[in-house]
Amino acid sequence: MMNLNWLSLQLLALTLWAVVAQATLQDKLTVRAFSNPHFADVLNDNQLERLASTAHKESSWLDIKKGELLSPVLVPRQIGSPGYRATQDLIVTTLGQLGYAISWDNFTTPTPMGDVKMSNIIATKNPSAAKRLVLAAHYESKIVPGGDFIGATDSAVPVAMILDIAKGLAGLIDKQTDSDISLQMVFFDGEEAFEQWTSTDSIYGARHLAEFWEHNPDPATVAALSGATEHRPELERVELMVLMDLIGAPDNMFAALQIPTADIFTQLSKLEKRLQSAEYIDRLYMNTAMPPGAAGVEDDHLPFIERNIPVLHLISVPFPKVWHKLSDNAEALDATVIADMSLIMRSF
């Protein structure tokens, strides 16, 4: 019995050491702090009720079969395909009509299939603002042998959710003309590997944009500040990036994957508990039982956290059962989950 207790204590000590070491490492990677880390209670009950009521009225935008923001992207979106081009058009048209400045990050990159042209799309509401809150997702779908892969959770729903946030909150966002922080939407190209996921065959768009923004401002920022003689690199303006992926499946659960943004994840969890308590959402999605940083997922956030950008990574853990299967289509989606996550993110 004594030996067992001693062994248990040793294992506990090793576990704690590993957690502390990981925390120290991630703390070194991210030195900035989100300026509003206690947002769970910013909205009073009446404001939350109005937000929920509006989201319910506008839920048809994310209807799986006929939604104007979701249905058009529930198609194969392999790079260069008609669905890929149509998704680009939907993003640019929707956000352009809402007054966002659109930038294209076009580039050609070597891949296992030869040189491929790719395009990141950046939409910034107020490019002259000093800071950015970035919402991001990748918009292309993977090449899967045996058929046309749609990637409904990966990442048609996240793309549609970002457009839903922009459209649903347009009136409120437009009133924030004096704010020093702007909402910025980033739609990454080339997240998926062409063959097998490696550091060079994956996240092509994220790697390209992170490197460009490390040294340069976004073109929309330059245009908005045309009288300035010097421009800061765009990354210096980013306060927080929220990266969404693998959303919309019935089994969705999310965890605090990045230690530096664990407090923000905790606030998001508190916010969704308020929403569930008021019966605005069906269930809880944030898994606070999993220790922050206990799981790591390689995704578009990596080049940004390597450059000290705080990232809240909202990707389902574990992955949906349909991950990278041809069955990741409209039939794999859960309308309640989509509506719940839409309201959670609008409230965020």
Side-chain angles (χ1 to χ4, degrees):
M1 191 70 172
M2 184 180 296
N3 288 337
L4 180 59
N5 288 338
W6 179 86
L7 179 59
S8 298
L9 289 172
Q10 292 298 310
L11 289 174
L12 177 60
L14 287 172
T15 302
L16 291 173
W17 177 86
V19 171
V20 170
Q22 185 177 15
T24 301
L25 175 61
Q26 291 208 36
D27 284 340
K28 288 181 179 179
L29 288 176
T30 302
V31 295
R32 302 181 203 184
F34 184 44
S35 63
N36 185 19
H38 304 293
F39 56 83
D41 298 315
V42 168
L43 298 176
N44 62 41
D45 290 343
N46 289 334
Q47 291 172 322
L48 210 57
E49 180 182 13
R50 288 198 297 271
L51 196 63
S53 176
T54 301
H56 179 73
K57 293 176 183 177
E58 297 169 347
S59 61
S60 62
W61 297 346
L62 295 177
D63 183 83
I64 296 170
K65 294 183 178 180
K66 297 181 292 184
E68 62 185 78
L69 299 180
L70 178 55
S71 180
V73 296
L74 290 176
V75 295
R77 304 178 309 282
Q78 287 74 26
I79 295 174
S81 68
Y84 168 90
R85 299 296 182 196
T87 299
Q88 290 179 328
D89 290 343
L90 178 68
I91 292 170
V92 171
T93 300
T94 301
L95 295 176
Q97 290 175 346
L98 294 172
Y100 284 75
I102 307 297
S103 300
W104 290 83
D105 177 32
N106 301 315
F107 61 101
T108 301
T109 185
T111 76
M113 299 181 66
D115 288 349
V116 176
K117 293 181 179 180
M118 299 186 187
S119 299
N120 296 314
I121 304 173
I122 303 98
T124 311
K125 181 59 178 177
N126 178 17
S128 62
K131 302 174 184 177
R132 309 279 187 261
L133 170 59
V134 177
L135 302 181
H138 75 92
Y139 70 93
E140 100 291 1
S141 55
K142 185 175 177 60
I143 299 172
V144 175
D148 290 329
F149 177 70
I150 290 176
T153 67
D154 188 16
S155 264
V157 169
V159 167
M161 281 180 54
I162 292 176
L163 298 179
D164 174 78
I165 292 168
K167 187 172 182 179
L169 300 181
L172 296 173
I173 293 171
D174 286 342
K175 293 178 181 179
Q176 304 299 316
T177 54
D178 59 343
S179 175
D180 68 343
I181 187 167
S182 174
L183 194 59
Q184 188 173 55
M185 320 291 200
V186 175
F187 301 89
F188 291 116
D189 202 351
E191 186 266 353
E192 301 285 6
F194 285 87
E195 292 182 347
Q196 185 173 357
W197 187 285
T198 65
S199 60
T200 55
D201 186 16
S202 65
I203 57 172
Y204 293 90
R207 287 189 282 122
H208 187 271
L209 187 64
E211 182 177 2
F212 179 76
W213 274 6
E214 182 179 13
H215 304 287
N216 304 278
D218 188 79
T221 303
V222 175
L225 300 173
S226 57
T229 56
E230 294 184 5
H231 293 285
R232 290 187 293 150
E234 195 72 12
L235 282 188
E236 292 184 10
R237 298 179 180 272
V238 178
E239 271 216 338
L240 176 70
M241 173 181 286
V242 181
L243 176 65
M244 294 183 277
D245 203 353
L246 303 184
I247 298 177
D251 53 353
N252 272 169
M253 288 298 293
F254 306 90
L257 301 179
Q258 302 297 316
I259 291 173
T261 53
D263 287 346
I264 298 175
F265 182 86
T266 299
Q267 291 297 312
L268 188 62
S269 174
K270 291 179 179 179
L271 177 60
E272 73 159 358
K273 286 177 181 176
R274 287 186 63 197
L275 292 169
Q276 191 203 34
S277 178
E279 299 183 347
Y280 299 143
I281 63 174
D282 186 65
R283 68 173 177 89
L284 299 178
Y285 298 87
M286 308 303 150
N287 180 8
T288 55
M290 181 181 292
V297 180
E298 294 188 354
D299 205 348
D300 283 317
H301 66 297
L302 291 179
F304 294 90
I305 64 171
E306 290 170 357
R307 292 168 169 84
N308 299 330
I309 301 302
V311 178
L312 179 64
H313 191 195
L314 292 180
I315 185 171
S316 185
V317 179
F319 289 177
K321 296 176 182 177
V322 296
W323 178 67
H324 283 185
K325 297 178 181 178
L326 294 177
S327 53
D328 188 4
N329 53 34
E331 299 300 319
L333 298 178
D334 187 301
T336 299
V337 172
I338 295 172
D340 285 355
M341 289 301 298
S342 169
L343 178 54
I344 290 170
M345 294 311 298
R346 283 189 183 207
S347 304
F348 174 87

